[in-house]
Amino acid sequence: MKIAIMSRNSKLYSTRRLVEAAKERSHEVRVVDPLRCYMNITSHRPSIHYRGETLDDFQAVIPRIGASITFYGCAVLRQFEMMGVYPLNESVAITRARDKLRSAQLLARKGIGLPVTGFAHSPDDINDLIDQVGGAPLVIKLLEGTQGIGVVLSETRQAAESVIQAFMGLKANIMVQEYIGEAKGADLRCLVIGDKVVAAMKRQAKEGEFRSNLHRGGTATLVRITPEERSTAVRAARVMGLNVCGVDLLRSNHGSVVMEVNSSPGLEGIENATGKDVASMIIQFIEKNAKPYKTKTRGKG
Ligand code: ADP
């Protein structure tokens, strides 16, 4: 098969591993920088151009689109879809997953447990909003944040009010969330491929920190998740319409709740913590599922 990997940098661990795994399984693979793709969307034969050549004959595309280039990256992925190339994750699902509010609303609608979450536009509604999520301590999240940046724990109501006011003053979009203190700075990353959790790790925040992101100094270890957690992760992936994703769970007093669904999960942490060859599993999933013009994920909800 001829597989394209959309990635800005072929040296990144995940990109390298996917290239390796594809080659090992005798596929032709090419890393394509989405920001160097340009397209003619009005033509009868949609095409993608890349540094002066035309990209064609690909049977599958693996999008690894960073949060900062979601808009253009998804446009390029859509163009691949218009050309009938099978996307590992479809563009609409990635766009959906990148919007934290939209994701929370979708997951909640399908009955998936989430931390109690609120959002508001006007500073006049801050007090009510804080009450709705059960008062302080609470977590305030910038909707545009990633890797734990823009996630603030407010221990007191007063601190929460000031932080929310400050963010609103900067016209930043935020959401306010119940703080799951009983998780003790740990979360679970479940890597879903198709309808299975193929690997799971526990990430523990460093001493004195509540955010468990590896980029924030957290550490990862192999973990056994419960059948309920397994099924929650798989259902969350399906609701989002993602074939491959990382579902982050927090172990709360009212069961494990979904904190986030990541459409471009990094492979380094999970492969190292679990010793599993996730990259090969992704390539095998593509082998089983890729078909010309199969560009929509089915079976949502
Ligand atoms: P990002 O997308 O920037 O990584 P997250 O929403 O995943 O932001 O939050 C970063 C980290 O903060 C999480 O990995 C988790 O450890 C911690 N965290 C986030 N929300 C909560 C919450 N409601 N209760 C407790 N801890 C949380």
Side-chain angles (χ1 to χ4, degrees):
M1 212 183 284
K2 193 169 160 190
I3 302 172
I5 301 178
M6 289 174 60
S7 167
R8 294 231 55 210
N9 183 349
S10 53
K11 295 191 184 75
L12 296 175
Y13 179 92
S14 305
T15 309
R16 263 195 296 119
R17 288 284 302 117
L18 288 163
V19 168
E20 252 170 46
K23 284 187 177 158
E24 253 165 42
R25 300 187 59 82
S26 311
H27 300 295
E28 194 183 322
V29 58
R30 173 143 184 214
V31 178
V32 175
D33 176 357
L35 296 190
R36 294 298 305 271
C37 293
Y38 48 103
M39 337 160 251
N40 176 355
I41 49 175
T42 54
S43 74
H44 297 295
R45 255 186 101 235
S47 59
I48 299 179
H49 303 273
Y50 190 66
R51 299 172 196 256
E53 58 173 310
T54 306
L55 294 183
D56 46 20
D57 300 335
F58 285 99
Q59 276 102 49
V61 52
I62 302 178
R64 304 270 329 160
I65 300 171
S68 60
I69 62 152
T70 301
F71 182 76
Y72 196 75
C74 282
V76 175
L77 181 59
R78 251 187 327 267
Q79 188 81 358
F80 272 112
E81 291 166 0
M82 284 164 64
M83 292 157 58
V85 181
Y86 174 80
L88 178 64
N89 281 327
E90 66 168 308
S91 55
V92 173
I94 296 173
T95 315
R96 204 183 268 141
R98 286 287 156 84
D99 181 338
K100 290 190 191 200
L101 271 187
R102 185 177 176 193
S103 304
Q105 288 173 317
L106 261 171
L107 294 166
R109 193 164 84 187
K110 297 292 179 181
I112 290 175
L114 307 172
V116 179
T117 303
F119 56 99
H121 187 73
S122 165
D124 298 339
D125 303 316
I126 293 178
N127 258 308
D128 230 17
L129 190 66
I130 294 176
D131 287 338
Q132 272 184 26
V133 302
L138 53 82
V139 175
I140 301 157
K141 295 187 184 184
L142 274 179
L143 292 193
E144 290 83 16
T146 59
Q147 301 179 343
I149 295 167
V151 180
V152 181
L153 171 60
S154 286
E155 307 270 3
T156 66
R157 186 179 188 103
Q158 214 178 11
E161 278 175 20
S162 319
V163 174
I164 297 171
Q165 268 164 358
F167 278 153
M168 283 181 165
L170 293 169
K171 306 241 176 295
N173 290 311
I174 53 161
M175 64 189 199
V176 174
Q177 213 165 56
E178 147 197 33
Y179 173 55
I180 312 285
E182 60 270 28
K184 297 195 175 68
D187 72 355
L188 307 176
R189 159 59 61 97
C190 306
L191 202 119
V192 178
I193 302 182
D195 56 1
K196 281 196 196 75
V197 174
V198 300
M201 66 176 168
K202 180 175 170 173
R203 295 180 299 197
Q204 179 69 53
K206 67 177 181 202
E207 195 67 30
E209 170 63 76
F210 81 105
R211 296 165 301 176
S212 60
N213 304 69
L214 303 183
H215 288 99
R216 305 268 73 74
T219 46
T221 47
L222 181 70
V223 69
R224 262 195 102 75
I225 57 169
T226 65
E228 289 75 27
E229 287 167 340
R230 226 164 249 287
S231 111
T232 301
V234 169
R235 279 174 54 224
R238 193 175 312 140
V239 169
M240 299 303 296
L242 293 164
N243 291 319
V244 171
C245 60
V247 180
D248 296 341
L249 302 177
L250 285 172
R251 283 183 165 158
S252 86
N253 289 337
H254 44 98
S256 285
V257 289
V258 174
M259 192 174 51
E260 185 161 46
V261 182
N262 193 319
S263 58
S264 263
L267 301 185
E268 187 167 17
I270 196 104
E271 287 198 334
N272 287 335
T274 64
K276 295 206 171 145
D277 185 351
V278 177
S280 274
M281 295 186 217
I282 290 176
I283 301 297
Q284 287 175 50
F285 178 86
I286 292 174
E287 289 168 7
K288 277 202 204 93
N289 291 281
K291 286 194 186 70
Y293 288 93
K294 183 176 167 191
T295 57
K296 292 262 170 279
T297 308
R298 296 190 200 283
K300 271 166 241 169

